[in-house]
Amino acid sequence: MTNHQPRSKISLKSGNLTNEQLPEYTVRVSDRAKCVRLSISVEDGLEVVIPNNYDHKKIPEIVQNKRDWIIRNQLKLAQREAFLQSQAPHELPDHLNLRSLNQEWQIEYQQVSTKSRLVKIQESKAPLKLTVTADINDIEACKFFLKQWLIQKADRHFLGCLSRISNRTKLPYRAMTVRSQKTLWGSCSRDRNISLNYKLLFLEAAVVEYVLLHELCHTVHMNHSDKFWNLVNKFEPNYKLLDKSLNQAWKLIPAWLDLEGAAKLRPQD
Ligand SMILES: [Zn+2]
């Protein structure tokens, strides 16, 4: 999995905890959890997910052991939140910079009064332009249809990319789906189905190719073992730098897309 650094409303102050203090957290018992899991999200703050029958007395020690991770990520999330809020996230976008396609689309809005929430999006080339015909006061509907347009673009583009890399590396996969994932750039299931986040469109082509290769390598190793990284290295010797660049890549995602729903961070990613 390639993880995504999400945003959070957690304040910067949480980075100044003294040694004795534990960060505040909530505990959730989950039928599906096999082991203890920590996550940080906008909606839930720091959450400790435990399996059924787990001894609650052990939790403070687990949280204490994960202190550095928690503090580090609370800071990261707070910085991200500040950045997003500075990007006018509640307004409609006037352009889309799809770095992976090397395409910058300008967006023009044409107001029509309509009772339905239908939004029409027309493409024109040279220069690249999207004409959005809608009731532009219905910001949610406009955003929804722009997002659908992005998902379709991603679907067409990534399918070609993935089969090209799959052929080159001789790492076959079963199917590819483009999704709006909140926490991940991509994932690969046991039966070799690859899911990709449409927001990858906003990242540089080299980084996107790395994410696709990363997921293809998971068709052989379902983990991040040395064997897995050796396989990645065989096809992309520059993988460490590319992987690291993903930590900052959220800055390239327009804030109006990122403010939907909560994203989660897990120490296991
Ligand atoms: Zn992975």
Side-chain angles (χ1 to χ4, degrees), residues 1-2 214-215 218 223-224 228-229:
M1 284 189 200
T2 22
H214 180 116
E215 298 311 334
H218 276 318
N223 50 43
H224 291 132
F228 168 79
W229 290 116

Side-chain angles (χ1 to χ4, degrees), residues 32 36 73 106-107 149 181 184 202 228 243 256 266-267:
R32 289 190 307 165
V36 181
N73 282 290
Q106 299 305 316
I107 308 178
W149 182 82
Q181 284 151 309
L184 299 170
F202 295 95
F228 168 79
D243 196 77
W256 66 272
R266 301 183 303 265

